[in-house]
Amino acid sequence: MIPREQLIETAKSVYRSYGFSPIDTPALEYTEILTGKGGTESDKQMFRFTQGKRDVAMRFDLTVPFARFAAQNIGELGTPFKRYHVGTVWRGERPQKGRYREFVQCDFDTIGTTSNSADIETLFIIHDLMVKIGFSDFTIHINNRKILNGLLESLDLQSRSAEVLRALDKLPKIGADAVIKEMLEQGNLTQQQAEKVISLTTLEGSTADILNSLEKQLVGNECGEQGVAYLREVFDAVDKAGIVSERIILDPSIARGLDYYTGTIYETFLNQLPGIGSVCSGGRYDNLAELFTTQKLPGVGASLGLDRLLAAMQELNLLDEVSTPAPILVTQMDAKYTSDYLRLARDLRMYGFNVEVYPDTSSIKKQFKYANRHGFKIVIVAGDEEFEKQDWQVKDMQTGTQTAVRKEELLELIRRVLA
Amino acid sequence: MIPREQLIETAKSVYRSYGFSPIDTPALEYTEILTGKGGTESDKQMFRFTQGKRDVAMRFDLTVPFARFAAQNIGELGTPFKRYHVGTVWRGERPQKGRYREFVQCDFDTIGTTSNSADIETLFIIHDLMVKIGFSDFTIHINNRKILNGLLESLDLQSRSAEVLRALDKLPKIGADAVIKEMLEQGNLTQQQAEKVISLTTLEGSTADILNSLEKQLVGNECGEQGVAYLREVFDAVDKAGIVSERIILDPSIARGLDYYTGTIYETFLNQLPGIGSVCSGGRYDNLAELFTTQKLPGVGASLGLDRLLAAMQELNLLDEVSTPAPILVTQMDAKYTSDYLRLARDLRMYGFNVEVYPDTSSIKKQFKYANRHGFKIVIVAGDEEFEKQDWQVKDMQTGTQTAVRKEELLELIRRVLA
């Protein structure tokens, strides 16, 4: 829970630094709000029941409640509206590694604007999130759905986009030949059409090269050309922002399954752990709340994969293996000094240190065992002798060194040990 | 949500500064875990249903899940164990002002020790919470149940403690005479016994005076004497800690209803709004998890009344009436400068400012309307003219002053305006 909470607070502070406001919605929604909005799979997995006369269910994601919330409140909130939402969701599926019946989602979205500026900012936020969490070796893959849509348009295949997307999603797993085969069989594409789709989505080279090739392949198609122009703007902004350019990759192969996305799409990978998949994904959509309101609410956003990130951080040894949020433990040698121990701890807290006071005068051995078990970095000890000399014994738990210092030297010593 | 989230983060940071670890438990528990643990009232209010073969319910408080959690995990966690838990709970009651079907509780507890040191620290935490949240004019009322228990023991009335507590809880509302009457009628006390209870619980004067009077009245009764000794230790520690002494009041009249509490008890009042009741309450108990384990888990803790505090802060005008977590808005005059606007915002974020960039190039009038509506303190504007001169126009939204500055002077100006 300690790293989990840190991660959530980091994410929130990044969202806030970009001017996103927190929202919350109830855990329970009327069932009719939730059913059919996430597909039949979600319906089956809902925790649903009746309470009095109300047919209710626990939310299975934060998107549907956000759509309902936006439809009801956007008149008062006004647009553009930027919100983040860190909340628990529930799915009655079989628990397995990294998948639980109850889990937390961390979403952020900008709605009420079609401007590419919001798409660029979404990319920046994902980037800053990763850096602030503590990663440096990651890549954010971006693409724009307008490119594929433009191609399908020019091939007169708009009606086959669901089948094409479904096949393309399997590209990294099954390879180009199998994807072509599926597009032929499931989507009724011709061999030539399928090859064009594959050729466009498997372009490689520098960003500039890929952009130029895309432009050439899509020339004359407005939708596709706009997609390329938007991507150019994104990379110009990345350049101007001074973001490490290797971290942002133009990847025409990412499609993000659902028809829902219509513009920029994002996936984030840890270079050391590509196998765990994208840890932060999202994209632009044309209409958030079409099921609940006639007002069109276009937007762009992404979702941080909290559980995946924590699993990755554990695997990469990025988590401090402690079970206390305080690095300093003040022990209690003698009950007659309890007020002094408590006072010392308060004084250290004033300087921003988290400090725990062992709550009773158990044997000093037991108190040190407690300190070891929880991973305290510093243990402070004082009995009659120390109080007489006005000293505090400070033990550095990593080196084992114990030093007696006056109170006025204590801060400096603590800062040195914790540094 | 903005002040709500700030309040929760403040509370968590105070808990952590005392070495408390976060825990979380699922929203759903097996119904048998929850039923009968909070009284029949809680049972009636539970959101209960079956999922597959499981009879489950949504937690109605954080104490019962904590007891279950502690019983299952204390062997691995070890004692003492200090945890805080900020979590949503659900009660199917009729919603009314300040009472909702879904609300958040903020609890902290130290379990596994009977030491008075933990009681003192609990008081310090409540004090620091109030100060960090932004209150200065508050009082924490404390008492020790051992005093009343000692008196009842010496009057041979232990078996009547529930009735006596129930009557005493009404003291501020119905007055001493009515409480005496109730103790006579409901508790079968004699007039003399009831008067002794009232005399002890309505003592007034300085802390030292009250402690001396209590000591005199309880002389020879071990339990009562210990209660007085513990309270003396609390006030000694308050004194040594340098806490404003007027903030901590010895109040022999507070009883906190339930039999559950057995030692120090706490209630916290805002001096300007006594009517809203205690905003942070708690106490010491003998056994947290007796329903789930034979291991005895004594502890002490308290709970912050989040919704009450927010209502109070609103009434006292302590809430900043803004609907953005960012004080600075960078507007967009011209789409060809989008990368520059985004870059400026990123640079300001590096210095710790929360900065929003208006997501598109709507009319500048519309962007200023947005800024006013959400309460931005500073609006930054730049078009062709400014980019040519390398200036940024900075508008102080409170004074209306607009100043053109170079980028290198921007930070200083922003700091001055926000100060």
Side-chain angles (χ1 to χ4, degrees):
Chain A
M1 267 302 282
I2 295 176
R4 188 180 186 79
E5 205 172 74
Q6 275 171 352
L7 201 57
I8 290 173
E9 291 196 5
T10 301
K12 287 181 175 180
S13 75
V14 172
Y15 298 150
R16 283 195 295 259
S17 79
Y18 279 84
F20 287 71
S21 292
I23 71 159
D24 201 4
T25 65
L28 296 175
E29 297 274 355
Y30 288 115
T31 302
E32 62 183 73
I33 295 288
L34 300 182
T35 42
K37 308 308 187 303
T40 47
E41 199 51 36
S42 312
D43 286 3
K44 267 192 301 184
Q45 294 175 344
M46 260 193 287
F47 286 100
R48 176 179 174 178
F49 58 102
T50 52
Q51 177 72 8
K53 284 177 198 153
R54 295 181 296 270
D55 183 357
V56 294
M58 296 170 87
R59 63 186 177 205
F60 58 83
D61 75 4
L62 301 179
T63 306
V64 180
F66 180 42
R68 193 266 306 149
F69 170 89
Q72 286 182 327
N73 301 299
I74 202 68
E76 200 193 327
L77 294 165
T79 57
F81 178 60
K82 299 165 78 172
R83 83 85 173 84
Y84 66 88
H85 191 179
V86 179
T88 309
V89 302
W90 293 268
R91 293 181 193 175
E93 61 187 332
R94 202 188 181 78
Q96 44 187 298
K97 198 172 177 248
R99 288 184 94 142
Y100 310 102
R101 292 211 182 97
E102 171 176 311
F103 58 101
V104 171
Q105 292 194 330
C106 297
D107 292 7
F108 67 98
D109 287 85
T110 303
I111 60 168
T113 179
T114 56
S115 164
N116 196 35
S117 171
D119 301 48
I120 297 169
E121 200 169 60
T122 301
L123 175 67
F124 285 6
I125 294 168
I126 297 173
H127 175 269
D128 290 2
L129 269 173
M130 298 302 290
V131 171
K132 287 273 162 63
I133 289 166
F135 292 104
S136 52
D137 195 13
F138 62 91
T139 43
I140 307 172
H141 292 228
I142 64 167
N143 192 12
N144 194 308
R145 279 287 272 280
K146 286 181 188 295
I147 287 169
L148 184 64
N149 291 348
L151 181 72
L152 295 181
E153 227 177 79
S154 69
L155 299 173
D156 214 11
L157 287 172
Q158 296 104 305
S159 60
R160 249 73 63 83
S161 91
E163 290 82 1
V164 172
L165 284 171
R166 210 177 307 129
L168 277 177
D169 259 1
K170 301 179 189 158
L171 190 57
K173 263 199 189 145
I174 63 176
D177 290 344
V179 170
I180 290 175
K181 190 159 170 269
E182 180 170 330
M183 288 194 280
L184 264 59
E185 285 169 8
Q186 311 285 328
N188 259 328
L189 275 68
T190 66
Q191 178 77 24
Q192 203 196 6
Q193 287 170 331
E195 274 172 13
K196 277 206 169 162
V197 170
I198 288 295
S199 136
L200 182 124
T201 52
T202 55
L203 282 172
E204 284 181 6
S206 70
T207 304
D209 287 347
I210 297 177
L211 284 169
N212 291 337
S213 303
L214 288 172
E215 206 157 39
K216 232 174 274 168
Q217 294 194 36
L218 292 161
V219 70
N221 177 279
E222 204 187 330
C223 174
E225 284 178 346
Q226 197 179 42
V228 177
Y230 278 2
L231 284 171
R232 282 199 195 282
E233 285 177 21
V234 172
F235 282 95
D236 284 350
V238 165
D239 190 40
K240 182 149 263 166
I243 288 173
V244 179
S245 62
E246 288 75 22
R247 285 183 182 156
I248 317 296
I249 289 183
L250 173 53
D251 181 351
S253 77
I254 61 167
R256 294 208 62 68
L258 298 175
D259 246 350
Y260 181 69
Y261 293 112
T262 54
T264 319
I265 45 182
Y266 315 85
E267 294 192 345
T268 310
F269 299 95
L270 301 173
N271 298 341
Q272 295 163 281
L273 293 174
I276 62 161
S278 173
V279 293
C280 190
S281 318
R284 172 167 281 286
Y285 42 87
D286 272 347
N287 201 353
L288 173 72
E290 57 189 334
L291 291 158
F292 305 114
T293 174
T294 53
Q295 187 178 350
K296 220 175 170 193
L297 289 173
V300 57
S303 183
L304 190 70
L306 198 66
D307 293 306
R308 272 192 194 177
L309 265 180
L310 280 168
M313 290 171 82
Q314 192 146 35
E315 209 163 324
L316 296 172
N317 280 318
L318 289 173
L319 298 183
D320 200 3
E321 290 294 335
V322 297
S323 59
T324 168
I328 305 169
L329 179 71
V330 177
T331 58
Q332 295 206 47
M333 293 268 281
D334 191 328
K336 70 172 178 283
Y337 299 122
T338 290
S339 294
D340 299 279
Y341 302 130
L342 293 173
R343 170 68 199 247
L344 175 71
R346 279 180 72 76
D347 288 346
L348 293 175
R349 280 182 207 111
M350 297 273 186
Y351 289 95
F353 296 110
N354 288 352
V355 187
E356 177 164 341
V357 179
Y358 195 87
D360 55 48
T361 52
S362 301
S363 75
I364 201 73
K365 199 178 149 198
K366 194 176 162 195
Q367 297 186 50
F368 267 98
K369 208 175 136 193
Y370 177 84
N372 271 317
R373 176 180 190 147
H374 290 279
F376 286 91
K377 308 272 190 289
I378 289 173
V379 175
I380 298 179
V381 183
D384 283 331
E385 206 178 311
E386 285 76 19
F387 277 95
E388 202 170 307
K389 289 192 200 156
Q390 297 190 281
D391 268 353
W392 296 96
Q393 295 281 350
V394 178
K395 184 159 183 178
D396 178 339
M397 297 296 282
Q398 264 149 330
T399 64
T401 325
Q402 189 159 318
T403 323
V405 291
R406 288 302 189 95
K407 193 163 182 179
E408 50 273 26
E409 303 156 316
L410 194 54
L411 267 186
E412 206 197 310
L413 178 59
I414 288 173
R415 286 200 179 115
R416 211 162 51 227
V417 173
L418 294 182
Chain B
M1 267 303 283
I2 296 175
R4 188 180 186 79
E5 204 172 77
Q6 274 171 351
L7 201 58
I8 289 173
E9 290 196 6
T10 302
K12 286 180 174 179
S13 75
V14 172
Y15 298 150
R16 282 196 295 259
S17 78
Y18 279 83
F20 286 71
S21 291
I23 71 159
D24 201 6
T25 65
L28 295 175
E29 297 274 354
Y30 288 115
T31 302
E32 63 183 71
I33 296 289
L34 299 182
T35 42
K37 306 310 187 304
T40 47
E41 199 52 36
S42 314
D43 286 3
K44 267 192 300 183
Q45 295 176 341
M46 261 193 286
F47 285 100
R48 176 179 174 178
F49 58 102
T50 54
Q51 177 73 8
K53 283 177 195 153
R54 294 180 297 271
D55 182 357
V56 294
M58 296 170 87
R59 64 186 175 204
F60 59 82
D61 74 6
L62 301 178
T63 306
V64 179
F66 180 42
R68 193 266 306 151
F69 171 90
Q72 285 181 326
N73 300 299
I74 202 68
E76 200 193 325
L77 295 164
T79 58
F81 178 60
K82 299 164 78 173
R83 83 86 172 82
Y84 65 88
H85 191 180
V86 178
T88 308
V89 302
W90 294 267
R91 292 182 194 174
E93 60 187 331
R94 201 189 182 78
Q96 43 187 297
K97 197 172 178 248
R99 288 185 94 141
Y100 311 101
R101 291 211 182 97
E102 170 175 314
F103 58 101
V104 171
Q105 293 195 327
C106 297
D107 292 7
F108 68 98
D109 287 85
T110 303
I111 60 169
T113 178
T114 56
S115 164
N116 197 35
S117 172
D119 301 49
I120 297 169
E121 200 169 58
T122 301
L123 176 66
F124 286 5
I125 294 167
I126 297 173
H127 174 269
D128 290 2
L129 268 174
M130 298 302 290
V131 171
K132 288 272 162 63
I133 290 167
F135 292 103
S136 53
D137 195 14
F138 62 90
T139 43
I140 306 172
H141 292 227
I142 63 167
N143 192 13
N144 194 307
R145 280 287 274 278
K146 285 182 188 293
I147 287 168
L148 184 64
N149 292 349
L151 180 74
L152 294 181
E153 227 179 79
S154 70
L155 298 172
D156 215 12
L157 287 172
Q158 298 102 306
S159 61
R160 248 74 60 85
S161 92
E163 291 82 2
V164 171
L165 283 171
R166 211 177 306 130
L168 277 177
D169 258 0
K170 300 178 189 158
L171 191 56
K173 263 200 190 143
I174 61 176
D177 289 346
V179 170
I180 290 176
K181 191 160 168 271
E182 180 170 328
M183 288 195 281
L184 263 60
E185 285 168 8
Q186 310 285 327
N188 260 328
L189 274 69
T190 65
Q191 178 76 25
Q192 204 196 3
Q193 287 170 329
E195 276 171 12
K196 277 205 168 160
V197 170
I198 289 295
S199 134
L200 182 123
T201 52
T202 55
L203 280 172
E204 286 181 4
S206 71
T207 305
D209 287 348
I210 298 176
L211 285 168
N212 291 337
S213 302
L214 288 172
E215 203 157 43
K216 231 174 274 168
Q217 292 192 39
L218 292 161
V219 71
N221 177 279
E222 204 186 331
C223 174
E225 283 177 346
Q226 199 180 40
V228 176
Y230 278 2
L231 284 171
R232 281 197 195 284
E233 285 177 19
V234 172
F235 282 96
D236 283 351
V238 166
D239 190 40
K240 182 150 263 165
I243 288 173
V244 179
S245 63
E246 288 75 21
R247 285 183 182 156
I248 316 297
I249 289 184
L250 174 52
D251 180 353
S253 77
I254 60 167
R256 295 208 60 69
L258 298 175
D259 246 350
Y260 181 68
Y261 292 113
T262 54
T264 318
I265 45 183
Y266 315 85
E267 294 190 347
T268 310
F269 300 94
L270 302 173
N271 299 342
Q272 295 162 280
L273 293 173
I276 63 160
S278 173
V279 295
C280 189
S281 318
R284 172 166 280 287
Y285 42 87
D286 271 348
N287 201 354
L288 173 72
E290 56 189 335
L291 291 158
F292 304 114
T293 173
T294 52
Q295 188 178 349
K296 219 174 171 194
L297 289 174
V300 58
S303 183
L304 191 69
L306 197 67
D307 293 305
R308 272 191 194 178
L309 266 180
L310 280 168
M313 290 170 83
Q314 191 146 36
E315 208 163 323
L316 296 172
N317 281 318
L318 289 173
L319 298 183
D320 199 4
E321 289 294 336
V322 297
S323 58
T324 168
I328 304 168
L329 179 70
V330 177
T331 57
Q332 295 206 47
M333 292 268 281
D334 192 328
K336 71 172 177 282
Y337 299 122
T338 291
S339 293
D340 299 279
Y341 302 130
L342 293 172
R343 171 68 198 247
L344 175 72
R346 277 180 73 77
D347 288 346
L348 293 175
R349 280 182 207 110
M350 297 274 186
Y351 289 96
F353 297 109
N354 289 352
V355 187
E356 176 164 341
V357 179
Y358 195 86
D360 54 48
T361 51
S362 301
S363 75
I364 200 73
K365 198 177 149 197
K366 193 177 163 195
Q367 297 187 48
F368 266 99
K369 208 175 136 193
Y370 177 84
N372 271 316
R373 177 180 190 146
H374 289 280
F376 286 91
K377 308 273 192 288
I378 288 173
V379 175
I380 298 179
V381 183
D384 284 331
E385 205 180 312
E386 285 76 18
F387 276 96
E388 202 171 308
K389 291 192 199 155
Q390 297 192 282
D391 268 354
W392 296 95
Q393 295 281 352
V394 178
K395 182 158 185 178
D396 179 339
M397 297 297 281
Q398 265 149 331
T399 64
T401 324
Q402 190 161 317
T403 323
V405 291
R406 288 300 189 96
K407 193 162 182 180
E408 49 273 29
E409 302 157 316
L410 195 55
L411 267 186
E412 205 196 311
L413 178 58
I414 288 173
R415 286 201 179 113
R416 212 162 51 227
V417 173
L418 295 182

